Amino acid sequence: MLIETLSVFPEMFDTVMSTSILGRASRAGLFEFRAHDLRDWTHDRHRTVDDEPYGGGQGMLMKVEPIFEAVEAISASGPRPRTVFFTPCGDRFDQACAERLAGCERLLLVCGRYEGMDERAYDLADERLSIGDYVLTGGELPAMVVADAVVRLIPGALGDEMSPVDESFSTRPSGGLLEYAQYTRPASFRGREVPPVLLSGDHARVDAWRRADAIERTCRWRPDLIDGAGLTPEERDRARELVARYHGPDARPARE
């Protein structure tokens, strides 16, 4: 897999993409990363990538010409990338999106700056994404978030192939819930004990406890996820009780 970014600050990616899981996966040849400098496609001595918006207003906008030239030049070499732009108008990035993008042969993540981009630049986008309802100074951080979420889904990146399956928000048939609570040594810390079942060595009981705990944690902290979780009828009845306990009897029940 090839992941590329287009940005006016390509150096921002150096540490993130070479450290920890992403760094190990890159060194193992599981994916390749390239950071492109948008200023390489400018044609004036100041390497200008922004200009004042027509009609007035605050701030500066990224110019359309260098973005078009860059994306077209990058795309012309090798297989056509899936081109992603970051914007508040985009679809909310989630685990399902990460899993879909992880299946792409090549990704190009285009990072905006300033007050945004000339609207015509978005004609190049295969999709527009947003990582949340807040304002950032640029698209580099969202690109890092997407790259991290995608790379860890590449087979072999985490070492344990089951790691992404059991995590929060997984879209696998058994997923859709927050991850269960986890513990390590010591078994007792300042009066707080590890649940005895986790010390039992009985894998069936441990699995059952983890499933029940995942449902309870989701009902407590993210009840909005319950509707999309793959629950049995018995688990759904239990979820209704838990949602009512944590959020009151008028809380919206899990769907049949």
Side-chain angles (χ1 to χ4, degrees), residues 196-214:
V197 64
L198 300 181
L199 309 177
S200 69
D202 187 327
H203 296 299
R205 289 180 59 210
V206 169
D207 288 344
W209 180 90
R210 286 175 168 172
R211 176 69 175 176
D213 191 60

PDB file of all heavy atoms in Angstrom, residues 196-214:
ATOM      1  N   PRO A 196     -12.025 -11.262  39.393  1.00  0.00           N
ATOM      2  CA  PRO A 196     -11.498 -12.610  39.589  1.00  0.00           C
ATOM      3  C   PRO A 196     -11.583 -13.496  38.358  1.00  0.00           C
ATOM      4  O   PRO A 196     -10.715 -14.357  38.148  1.00  0.00           O
ATOM      5  CB  PRO A 196     -12.369 -13.156  40.732  1.00  0.00           C
ATOM      6  CG  PRO A 196     -12.809 -11.939  41.480  1.00  0.00           C
ATOM      7  CD  PRO A 196     -13.007 -10.888  40.443  1.00  0.00           C
ATOM      8  N   VAL A 197     -12.605 -13.299  37.523  1.00  0.00           N
ATOM      9  CA  VAL A 197     -12.765 -14.170  36.357  1.00  0.00           C
ATOM     10  C   VAL A 197     -11.558 -14.077  35.436  1.00  0.00           C
ATOM     11  O   VAL A 197     -11.178 -15.057  34.775  1.00  0.00           O
ATOM     12  CB  VAL A 197     -14.062 -13.818  35.594  1.00  0.00           C
ATOM     13  CG1 VAL A 197     -14.001 -12.410  35.016  1.00  0.00           C
ATOM     14  CG2 VAL A 197     -14.320 -14.831  34.480  1.00  0.00           C
ATOM     15  N   LEU A 198     -10.895 -12.918  35.405  1.00  0.00           N
ATOM     16  CA  LEU A 198      -9.750 -12.753  34.515  1.00  0.00           C
ATOM     17  C   LEU A 198      -8.524 -13.502  35.026  1.00  0.00           C
ATOM     18  O   LEU A 198      -7.557 -13.700  34.280  1.00  0.00           O
ATOM     19  CB  LEU A 198      -9.420 -11.277  34.347  1.00  0.00           C
ATOM     20  CG  LEU A 198     -10.528 -10.409  33.748  1.00  0.00           C
ATOM     21  CD1 LEU A 198     -10.066  -8.963  33.623  1.00  0.00           C
ATOM     22  CD2 LEU A 198     -10.960 -10.952  32.386  1.00  0.00           C
ATOM     23  N   LEU A 199      -8.558 -13.906  36.278  1.00  0.00           N
ATOM     24  CA  LEU A 199      -7.460 -14.666  36.873  1.00  0.00           C
ATOM     25  C   LEU A 199      -7.752 -16.157  36.890  1.00  0.00           C
ATOM     26  O   LEU A 199      -6.916 -16.947  37.356  1.00  0.00           O
ATOM     27  CB  LEU A 199      -7.204 -14.179  38.304  1.00  0.00           C
ATOM     28  CG  LEU A 199      -7.042 -12.668  38.494  1.00  0.00           C
ATOM     29  CD1 LEU A 199      -6.873 -12.359  39.984  1.00  0.00           C
ATOM     30  CD2 LEU A 199      -5.867 -12.146  37.702  1.00  0.00           C
ATOM     31  N   SER A 200      -8.913 -16.543  36.378  1.00  0.00           N
ATOM     32  CA  SER A 200      -9.373 -17.923  36.521  1.00  0.00           C
ATOM     33  C   SER A 200      -8.708 -18.890  35.559  1.00  0.00           C
ATOM     34  O   SER A 200      -8.659 -20.099  35.824  1.00  0.00           O
ATOM     35  CB  SER A 200     -10.897 -17.987  36.321  1.00  0.00           C
ATOM     36  OG  SER A 200     -11.241 -17.707  34.957  1.00  0.00           O
ATOM     37  N   GLY A 201      -8.245 -18.394  34.429  1.00  0.00           N
ATOM     38  CA  GLY A 201      -7.696 -19.288  33.410  1.00  0.00           C
ATOM     39  C   GLY A 201      -8.757 -19.983  32.594  1.00  0.00           C
ATOM     40  O   GLY A 201      -8.441 -20.777  31.697  1.00  0.00           O
ATOM     41  N   ASP A 202     -10.018 -19.705  32.852  1.00  0.00           N
ATOM     42  CA  ASP A 202     -11.136 -20.296  32.118  1.00  0.00           C
ATOM     43  C   ASP A 202     -11.462 -19.375  30.938  1.00  0.00           C
ATOM     44  O   ASP A 202     -12.128 -18.345  31.087  1.00  0.00           O
ATOM     45  CB  ASP A 202     -12.349 -20.439  33.044  1.00  0.00           C
ATOM     46  CG  ASP A 202     -13.495 -21.191  32.408  1.00  0.00           C
ATOM     47  OD1 ASP A 202     -13.671 -21.082  31.184  1.00  0.00           O
ATOM     48  OD2 ASP A 202     -14.262 -21.853  33.148  1.00  0.00           O
ATOM     49  N   HIS A 203     -11.010 -19.725  29.739  1.00  0.00           N
ATOM     50  CA  HIS A 203     -11.134 -18.837  28.588  1.00  0.00           C
ATOM     51  C   HIS A 203     -12.580 -18.582  28.190  1.00  0.00           C
ATOM     52  O   HIS A 203     -12.925 -17.480  27.744  1.00  0.00           O
ATOM     53  CB  HIS A 203     -10.350 -19.412  27.406  1.00  0.00           C
ATOM     54  CG  HIS A 203      -8.874 -19.492  27.656  1.00  0.00           C
ATOM     55  ND1 HIS A 203      -8.091 -18.387  27.913  1.00  0.00           N
ATOM     56  CD2 HIS A 203      -8.037 -20.567  27.712  1.00  0.00           C
ATOM     57  CE1 HIS A 203      -6.839 -18.756  28.097  1.00  0.00           C
ATOM     58  NE2 HIS A 203      -6.777 -20.077  27.994  1.00  0.00           N
ATOM     59  N   ALA A 204     -13.432 -19.566  28.358  1.00  0.00           N
ATOM     60  CA  ALA A 204     -14.836 -19.383  28.012  1.00  0.00           C
ATOM     61  C   ALA A 204     -15.486 -18.353  28.933  1.00  0.00           C
ATOM     62  O   ALA A 204     -16.238 -17.475  28.476  1.00  0.00           O
ATOM     63  CB  ALA A 204     -15.589 -20.711  28.082  1.00  0.00           C
ATOM     64  N   ARG A 205     -15.189 -18.444  30.230  1.00  0.00           N
ATOM     65  CA  ARG A 205     -15.734 -17.474  31.178  1.00  0.00           C
ATOM     66  C   ARG A 205     -15.168 -16.083  30.931  1.00  0.00           C
ATOM     67  O   ARG A 205     -15.869 -15.079  31.035  1.00  0.00           O
ATOM     68  CB  ARG A 205     -15.442 -17.923  32.613  1.00  0.00           C
ATOM     69  CG  ARG A 205     -16.243 -19.130  33.089  1.00  0.00           C
ATOM     70  CD  ARG A 205     -15.878 -19.474  34.515  1.00  0.00           C
ATOM     71  NE  ARG A 205     -16.142 -18.352  35.418  1.00  0.00           N
ATOM     72  CZ  ARG A 205     -15.449 -18.105  36.531  1.00  0.00           C
ATOM     73  NH1 ARG A 205     -14.418 -18.878  36.856  1.00  0.00           N
ATOM     74  NH2 ARG A 205     -15.768 -17.085  37.297  1.00  0.00           N
ATOM     75  N   VAL A 206     -13.882 -16.032  30.599  1.00  0.00           N
ATOM     76  CA  VAL A 206     -13.261 -14.738  30.304  1.00  0.00           C
ATOM     77  C   VAL A 206     -13.924 -14.096  29.086  1.00  0.00           C
ATOM     78  O   VAL A 206     -14.256 -12.900  29.094  1.00  0.00           O
ATOM     79  CB  VAL A 206     -11.746 -14.908  30.063  1.00  0.00           C
ATOM     80  CG1 VAL A 206     -11.145 -13.631  29.484  1.00  0.00           C
ATOM     81  CG2 VAL A 206     -11.040 -15.273  31.361  1.00  0.00           C
ATOM     82  N   ASP A 207     -14.144 -14.874  28.030  1.00  0.00           N
ATOM     83  CA  ASP A 207     -14.795 -14.340  26.828  1.00  0.00           C
ATOM     84  C   ASP A 207     -16.198 -13.830  27.136  1.00  0.00           C
ATOM     85  O   ASP A 207     -16.607 -12.769  26.651  1.00  0.00           O
ATOM     86  CB  ASP A 207     -14.854 -15.410  25.742  1.00  0.00           C
ATOM     87  CG  ASP A 207     -13.490 -15.707  25.127  1.00  0.00           C
ATOM     88  OD1 ASP A 207     -12.563 -14.895  25.321  1.00  0.00           O
ATOM     89  OD2 ASP A 207     -13.358 -16.753  24.457  1.00  0.00           O
ATOM     90  N   ALA A 208     -16.943 -14.584  27.943  1.00  0.00           N
ATOM     91  CA  ALA A 208     -18.298 -14.171  28.296  1.00  0.00           C
ATOM     92  C   ALA A 208     -18.277 -12.880  29.109  1.00  0.00           C
ATOM     93  O   ALA A 208     -19.098 -11.978  28.901  1.00  0.00           O
ATOM     94  CB  ALA A 208     -18.998 -15.289  29.071  1.00  0.00           C
ATOM     95  N   TRP A 209     -17.337 -12.788  30.058  1.00  0.00           N
ATOM     96  CA  TRP A 209     -17.231 -11.563  30.867  1.00  0.00           C
ATOM     97  C   TRP A 209     -16.877 -10.366  29.992  1.00  0.00           C
ATOM     98  O   TRP A 209     -17.445  -9.277  30.147  1.00  0.00           O
ATOM     99  CB  TRP A 209     -16.165 -11.756  31.943  1.00  0.00           C
ATOM    100  CG  TRP A 209     -15.992 -10.546  32.821  1.00  0.00           C
ATOM    101  CD1 TRP A 209     -16.654 -10.277  33.980  1.00  0.00           C
ATOM    102  CD2 TRP A 209     -15.123  -9.430  32.589  1.00  0.00           C
ATOM    103  NE1 TRP A 209     -16.257  -9.058  34.487  1.00  0.00           N
ATOM    104  CE2 TRP A 209     -15.318  -8.518  33.655  1.00  0.00           C
ATOM    105  CE3 TRP A 209     -14.207  -9.120  31.605  1.00  0.00           C
ATOM    106  CZ2 TRP A 209     -14.629  -7.315  33.740  1.00  0.00           C
ATOM    107  CZ3 TRP A 209     -13.512  -7.924  31.686  1.00  0.00           C
ATOM    108  CH2 TRP A 209     -13.718  -7.024  32.739  1.00  0.00           C
ATOM    109  N   ARG A 210     -15.945 -10.544  29.086  1.00  0.00           N
ATOM    110  CA  ARG A 210     -15.532  -9.439  28.220  1.00  0.00           C
ATOM    111  C   ARG A 210     -16.687  -8.963  27.331  1.00  0.00           C
ATOM    112  O   ARG A 210     -16.857  -7.764  27.114  1.00  0.00           O
ATOM    113  CB  ARG A 210     -14.347  -9.867  27.364  1.00  0.00           C
ATOM    114  CG  ARG A 210     -13.049  -9.947  28.160  1.00  0.00           C
ATOM    115  CD  ARG A 210     -11.902 -10.486  27.329  1.00  0.00           C
ATOM    116  NE  ARG A 210     -10.624 -10.292  28.005  1.00  0.00           N
ATOM    117  CZ  ARG A 210      -9.473 -10.802  27.586  1.00  0.00           C
ATOM    118  NH1 ARG A 210      -9.440 -11.556  26.481  1.00  0.00           N
ATOM    119  NH2 ARG A 210      -8.364 -10.562  28.266  1.00  0.00           N
ATOM    120  N   ARG A 211     -17.452  -9.901  26.825  1.00  0.00           N
ATOM    121  CA  ARG A 211     -18.594  -9.516  26.003  1.00  0.00           C
ATOM    122  C   ARG A 211     -19.602  -8.712  26.823  1.00  0.00           C
ATOM    123  O   ARG A 211     -20.085  -7.657  26.389  1.00  0.00           O
ATOM    124  CB  ARG A 211     -19.255 -10.775  25.435  1.00  0.00           C
ATOM    125  CG  ARG A 211     -20.520 -10.547  24.629  1.00  0.00           C
ATOM    126  CD  ARG A 211     -20.241  -9.854  23.324  1.00  0.00           C
ATOM    127  NE  ARG A 211     -21.446  -9.752  22.513  1.00  0.00           N
ATOM    128  CZ  ARG A 211     -21.507  -9.126  21.350  1.00  0.00           C
ATOM    129  NH1 ARG A 211     -20.430  -8.539  20.844  1.00  0.00           N
ATOM    130  NH2 ARG A 211     -22.641  -9.075  20.672  1.00  0.00           N
ATOM    131  N   ALA A 212     -19.925  -9.192  28.021  1.00  0.00           N
ATOM    132  CA  ALA A 212     -20.878  -8.488  28.885  1.00  0.00           C
ATOM    133  C   ALA A 212     -20.347  -7.125  29.281  1.00  0.00           C
ATOM    134  O   ALA A 212     -21.093  -6.135  29.337  1.00  0.00           O
ATOM    135  CB  ALA A 212     -21.190  -9.339  30.115  1.00  0.00           C
ATOM    136  N   ASP A 213     -19.055  -7.053  29.559  1.00  0.00           N
ATOM    137  CA  ASP A 213     -18.469  -5.775  29.964  1.00  0.00           C
ATOM    138  C   ASP A 213     -18.463  -4.780  28.805  1.00  0.00           C
ATOM    139  O   ASP A 213     -18.707  -3.582  29.006  1.00  0.00           O
ATOM    140  CB  ASP A 213     -17.040  -5.998  30.463  1.00  0.00           C
ATOM    141  CG  ASP A 213     -16.476  -4.764  31.149  1.00  0.00           C
ATOM    142  OD1 ASP A 213     -17.055  -4.327  32.159  1.00  0.00           O
ATOM    143  OD2 ASP A 213     -15.464  -4.230  30.657  1.00  0.00           O
ATOM    144  N   ALA A 214     -18.198  -5.260  27.602  1.00  0.00           N
ATOM    145  CA  ALA A 214     -18.229  -4.381  26.434  1.00  0.00           C
ATOM    146  C   ALA A 214     -19.620  -3.791  26.234  1.00  0.00           C
ATOM    147  O   ALA A 214     -19.778  -2.599  25.940  1.00  0.00           O
ATOM    148  CB  ALA A 214     -17.789  -5.151  25.192  1.00  0.00           C
TER     149      ALA A 214
END
